[in-house]
Amino acid sequence: MATSRRTQRRGPGAPGAGGAAGATGQAGAAGQTAQPGPAGSAGPAGHAAGDPAGGGLTGTPAGAGADGRGREAPRLPPVRLAPREELAGSARVAPLLRAAREVARWLGPAGRRLNRDGRLPAAGTAAAMTELELAPGELDAAWRVAARTGMLDAADGRASAGSRVDVLASGDAEEVLAVWDDALTLMLAAEDLDGMATALYTVGGPVKMDALFEAYVAAAGTGARRPGPAYAGGDPEQDQAAGVSSALEALADLGVVELGTDEAAGGLTVTLSRLGVWGVHRRLRAQGWHVPVLGGGARGDAAALLATLASCDVEDGEAEIAAWLAVRTREDAARELIDAAGQGSPGLRGAGFAVLDRIGAEAVPAVRAALDDPVLHAHAAVWLREHGEEADLGPGDRAWLLVDLGAGLLEEADPRDVVAELLPDVTPEAQAELVAGLWEVSHPGVTDLLTALSDHHPDPSVARAARKAAFKARSPVAGQGAGAKGRPDRPDYMGRTT
């Protein structure tokens, strides 16, 4: 993800040792506050941390939202989609599509007779396998794809070449991709293939072959179907491996996946091809997932930009920011960012103010106007001070900012990591005193932050203070002043509402 000087992070989902956590610690010190870099996510999906070399899902997906069965939805990585002509070129040579075309051409315009069950007679099947050099399973898959894509027509007891039989040779890029997408829909109709493709997309990099099944289960969750033994007394693990191998073969024949080698681990890896990324991205987007695309940030609003930055590395993030700023005036960009920050999560608030750094002095009027928003006041005051402007920043603002920054980190990172880095430069005695008063902060994330501190802080006195403060924060009296969407109506300088 992109970062500013306020936050330097090692990678998606993991806070850096001296980054936002260190800045959060400064929020508790008199007169010193800081903002996090772009973080957080929007929409129903986000990015699960993946190990590109080792594969598999290496951690619990941290994301916003859940699927229809109540499971936490994984956060999806931003992808860069290849040009349409390049994608169409890959689709034209996909072995499964070519086999489907050959089957349709073999049928010819006159067609061949079918049995009552809609299948070729035994003699016709044998002839097709011999003439086209296809195994039974290959012929079956090619026939189904040809029928689904319109390469063959079956009616009145006969099958013949269809209107799309020559689309691979003579169709334009859009026509070819439409045929390939139809074939992909057919191939992913089985739950195991759909889950496998989604798992590979979620990881966002190569997965070791022996970890692929675990990656699929992690992405598909409890709804995943584990293949049972093929015969009584069979070895379930061998059968599962055979099922994964068969699924990979089908996906590879359509050009969805590519095989590679992990030299360090000495094994094969699997990853989505550029064509596969395009196809799975298209499906996930149609299902309502948030699927960020690199290179498209300039067309979206500020909220879309900030959500994309959440999973970008530094280089890609800076490119997205530059493209987004290039098509707006600096004043308009600042107003959009302020609006997105005010409507977004704590992580998006920090991200918005980090991007405002790129605008500089021209953002001052918009940031100064944000001082009137209770949710943005502390962030805006810090930003203005860092840019040489005057702004009021009281102890209550610093306490509120500490909670907001901590809540932003908890959106992405493991609570233990957040606690370890939240107040690194503050003594345990000072931490305990600071934490004890956080229950008075009118912030929707204060209880979660205090709970994380009470559960994971290594110093007993700080953990005890957080536990007591969390109990007070949960009391009805503490929540009486909360406004709509958990925002304070008007915080005084100790973070209470009046």
Side-chain angles (χ1 to χ4, degrees):
M1 59 174 275
T3 59
S4 73
R5 67 179 181 278
R6 297 187 178 101
T7 302
Q8 297 297 326
R9 287 179 27 169
R10 293 186 292 271
T24 309
Q26 294 177 18
Q32 295 187 13
T33 54
Q35 310 284 346
S41 178
H47 179 198
D51 177 359
L57 300 180
T58 60
T60 301
D67 65 13
R69 286 171 283 193
R71 300 191 311 267
E72 192 71 15
R75 178 172 300 165
L76 301 183
V79 296
R80 193 178 299 279
L81 299 180
R84 305 290 257 215
E85 289 295 338
E86 178 184 329
L87 294 171
S90 298
R92 291 180 201 275
V93 298
L96 184 54
L97 278 188
R98 292 170 65 90
R101 177 180 179 236
E102 292 305 311
V103 167
R105 294 182 66 183
W106 175 80
L107 291 171
R112 295 176 183 262
R113 182 177 59 82
L114 302 176
N115 289 333
R116 290 182 178 180
D117 61 3
R119 297 175 178 271
L120 281 172
T125 299
M129 290 191 295
T130 299
E131 295 179 36
L132 301 177
E133 299 182 347
L134 296 175
E138 294 171 334
L139 176 60
D140 179 66
W143 184 281
R144 288 186 290 115
V145 168
R148 174 60 184 256
T149 60
M151 292 186 188
L152 73 78
D153 289 329
D156 300 325
R158 298 188 69 82
S160 60
S163 59
R164 281 175 151 183
V165 63
D166 290 322
V167 70
L168 296 184
S170 58
D172 61 24
E174 294 304 318
E175 292 172 324
V176 171
L177 289 176
V179 166
W180 184 88
D181 193 51
D182 283 345
L184 179 66
T185 299
L186 175 68
M187 297 306 295
L188 296 185
E191 185 178 351
D192 54 346
L193 292 184
D194 201 354
M196 185 178 298
T198 301
L200 290 169
Y201 190 102
T202 301
V203 172
V207 176
K208 285 192 292 189
M209 189 80 75
D210 58 5
L212 184 58
F213 186 77
E214 286 74 15
Y216 155 59
V217 171
T222 57
R225 292 186 291 106
R226 289 180 178 268
Y231 55 90
D235 185 337
E237 291 189 4
Q238 290 183 0
D239 191 73
Q240 289 170 8
V244 170
S245 177
S246 175
L248 282 177
E249 184 177 351
L251 293 177
D253 282 347
L254 193 55
V256 179
V257 300
E258 297 174 344
L259 299 180
T261 303
D262 180 4
E263 297 181 358
L268 291 177
T269 61
V270 186
T271 187
L272 285 181
S273 67
R274 290 162 73 85
L275 183 58
V277 168
W278 176 82
V280 178
H281 173 272
R282 181 182 173 90
R283 285 177 60 83
L284 293 175
R285 185 181 62 185
Q287 294 167 9
W289 291 64
H290 172 66
V291 278
V293 177
L294 293 174
R299 296 188 296 272
D301 59 14
L305 170 70
L306 299 181
T308 299
L309 294 178
S311 299
C312 287
D313 60 22
V314 175
E315 183 178 354
D316 285 334
E318 292 296 344
E320 291 296 300
I321 293 171
W324 190 83
L325 291 176
V327 297
R328 292 163 174 79
T329 67
R330 296 295 171 132
E331 293 79 6
D332 286 344
R335 284 191 292 269
E336 283 191 52
L337 288 166
I338 289 295
D339 183 63
Q343 298 297 322
S345 67
L348 290 184
R349 281 195 282 277
F353 280 91
V355 177
L356 284 165
D357 280 347
R358 277 58 165 189
I359 300 177
E362 292 163 283
V364 168
V367 177
R368 186 164 293 284
L371 290 172
D372 295 331
D373 186 335
V375 171
L376 298 181
H377 176 86
H379 289 276
V382 169
W383 193 95
L384 290 168
R385 286 186 169 202
E386 288 186 346
H387 290 77
E389 300 288 326
E390 294 293 328
D392 292 333
L393 189 69
D397 295 317
R398 288 191 286 272
W400 192 93
L401 183 59
L402 171 62
V403 175
D404 204 48
L405 294 175
L409 291 172
L410 286 173
E411 290 176 15
E412 296 189 339
D414 187 283
R416 287 166 295 205
D417 294 332
V418 174
V419 170
E421 301 184 14
L422 189 62
L423 298 168
D425 300 323
V426 182
T427 65
E429 294 79 9
Q431 287 189 48
E433 181 179 357
L434 175 63
V435 167
L438 290 183
W439 71 272
E440 297 183 283
V441 177
S442 181
H443 189 292
V446 67
T447 302
D448 287 342
L449 179 61
L450 288 170
T451 300
L453 287 165
S454 67
D455 290 345
H456 302 294
H457 202 287
D459 188 276
S461 64
V462 180
R464 185 165 53 252
R467 189 157 47 249
K468 292 180 179 179
F471 177 79
K472 293 179 180 179
R474 294 188 187 99
S475 69
V477 174
Q480 286 177 355
K485 299 181 181 179
R487 294 182 178 183
D489 294 320
R490 184 170 64 87
D492 65 14
Y493 283 111
M494 289 306 294
R496 296 181 290 261
T497 57
T498 60

